[in-house]
Amino acid sequence: MNRPPFGLHLPCEIVRVLDGDTVEVVLPGSTRGLRVRLLDCWCAERYTDEGKIATECMKHFVEMTSGATSLFIPAPESTVHILGEILTFGRILAHIFVGPTDTLSELMVDSGHALKEKPK
């Protein structure tokens, strides 16, 4: 994935996997965790069999990153309404890069445990 030209890009450490499309991260210098709902990643709910498998897959990908992650919160050119666009249910909507170009969302979709778009 190519990074969009606008947004906030920060190093982070994933400290907890909540399900197949949501993780908790900590930013440098902070002890408070932030919940991140991955963009472009839709998994089954964690209480379903498919959701449990997706959660385990996400845990595997997080273990593989060994701390080399960064948080990218895309933002529109005009940031007038940015908070309403990046927050949902107390979670930040963002990508987490696990290398120069790969995101956790892409890994989950490519593995077959997530869809890129919300099912209709």
Side-chain angles (χ1 to χ4, degrees):
M1 170 180 190
N2 293 326
R3 289 193 177 111
F6 297 98
L8 183 61
H9 189 230
L10 302 165
C12 71
E13 177 184 352
I14 301 171
V15 293
R16 191 169 118 196
V17 172
L18 299 167
D19 61 24
D21 53 23
T22 306
V23 296
E24 187 173 327
V25 302
V26 173
L27 302 177
S30 175
T31 57
R32 183 176 179 196
L34 299 171
R35 288 186 178 196
V36 177
R37 168 65 175 80
L38 299 176
L39 291 169
D40 301 326
C41 182
W42 294 90
C43 293
E45 295 300 324
R46 65 179 167 201
Y47 54 81
T48 66
D49 289 341
E50 289 176 346
K52 290 175 186 174
I53 293 169
T55 301
E56 289 305 311
C57 183
M58 176 62 78
K59 287 179 181 178
H60 171 73
F61 287 137
V62 168
E63 287 174 10
M64 287 179 17
T65 66
S66 64
T69 59
S70 60
L71 179 71
F72 183 76
I73 305 168
E77 289 184 48
S78 168
T79 56
V80 174
H81 302 289
I82 190 170
L83 289 180
E85 294 177 19
I86 65 169
L87 295 174
T88 178
F89 300 109
R91 303 171 297 181
I92 296 170
L93 297 173
H95 290 287
I96 295 183
F97 282 83
V98 293
T101 59
D102 294 328
T103 67
L104 280 177
S105 298
E106 290 169 328
L107 294 175
M108 289 297 289
V109 170
D110 291 347
S111 73
H113 295 292
L115 299 173
K116 187 171 178 154
E117 296 179 3
K118 185 175 183 175
K120 296 178 182 177

